[in-house]
Amino acid sequence: MFMKELFKPTRLPMSTSTGLFLVRLIAGLAFMYHGYGKIQNPMGWMGPDATIPGVFQLLAALAEFGGGLAWIVGFLTPLASLGIAITMGVAIYFHAAILGDPFVASAAGSGSYEPALLYLSIAFLFLFAGPGKFSLDRLIFGEKN
């Protein structure tokens, strides 16, 4: 019963649901694109010299590719958003604290933590607002009153 309530989206106006659907579609496609190469070698996509254990690489690959797909269809949206939020939190830390990258890249091809922070914000949007009316979550679990 708790799981059903966890995945049951809040009732939202049609205009809000339309906006959430468009953001889910675009951000989900972007995540599937970014995660596609990682899911091809899920425990070793960082290369043989990576200091990150394979299981964490696997979790990041699943969060990006699977989370992107989940956002597109609006299925298990809170779980997908949590996985993406954690992955983006690690990416922000890596770029800002480890690499010392700026918020916005100063030159083409240089690193920044701006995209990861933007995706983290989108994950929080779906964690707090839910997927909206146009989602499998709504079809399967219903809506909160």
Side-chain angles (χ1 to χ4, degrees):
M1 188 62 139
F2 170 73
M3 293 303 284
K4 185 175 180 179
E5 287 299 312
L6 176 66
F7 295 113
K8 187 183 285 190
T10 304
R11 181 170 290 152
L12 296 170
M14 191 66 71
S15 59
T16 304
S17 290
T18 301
L20 288 170
F21 172 72
L22 292 172
V23 173
R24 280 193 358 249
L25 180 65
I26 294 164
L29 284 170
F31 261 104
M32 286 188 74
Y33 176 79
H34 286 293
Y36 182 76
K38 295 172 184 156
I39 208 74
Q40 301 302 307
N41 183 15
M43 294 187 74
W45 58 266
M46 296 181 95
D49 297 329
T51 58
I52 307 299
V55 68
F56 291 124
Q57 294 180 55
L58 170 67
L59 290 172
L62 286 174
E64 289 188 19
F65 189 80
L69 178 60
W71 274 2
I72 290 169
V73 299
F75 182 61
L76 304 178
T77 307
L79 183 62
S81 298
L82 183 62
I84 288 171
I86 291 168
T87 303
M88 292 302 98
V90 171
I92 291 165
Y93 175 77
F94 181 75
H95 281 280
I98 304 296
L99 297 178
D101 289 338
F103 173 61
V104 177
S106 57
S110 62
S112 77
Y113 61 95
E114 172 193 9
L117 189 58
L118 178 61
Y119 285 127
L120 176 64
S121 300
I122 293 170
F124 283 141
L125 170 69
F126 295 136
L127 277 170
F128 297 128
K133 292 182 184 301
F134 309 114
S135 66
L136 287 178
D137 285 344
R138 184 184 147 266
L139 289 174
I140 295 168
F141 303 111
E143 285 182 322
K144 293 178 186 171
N145 291 328

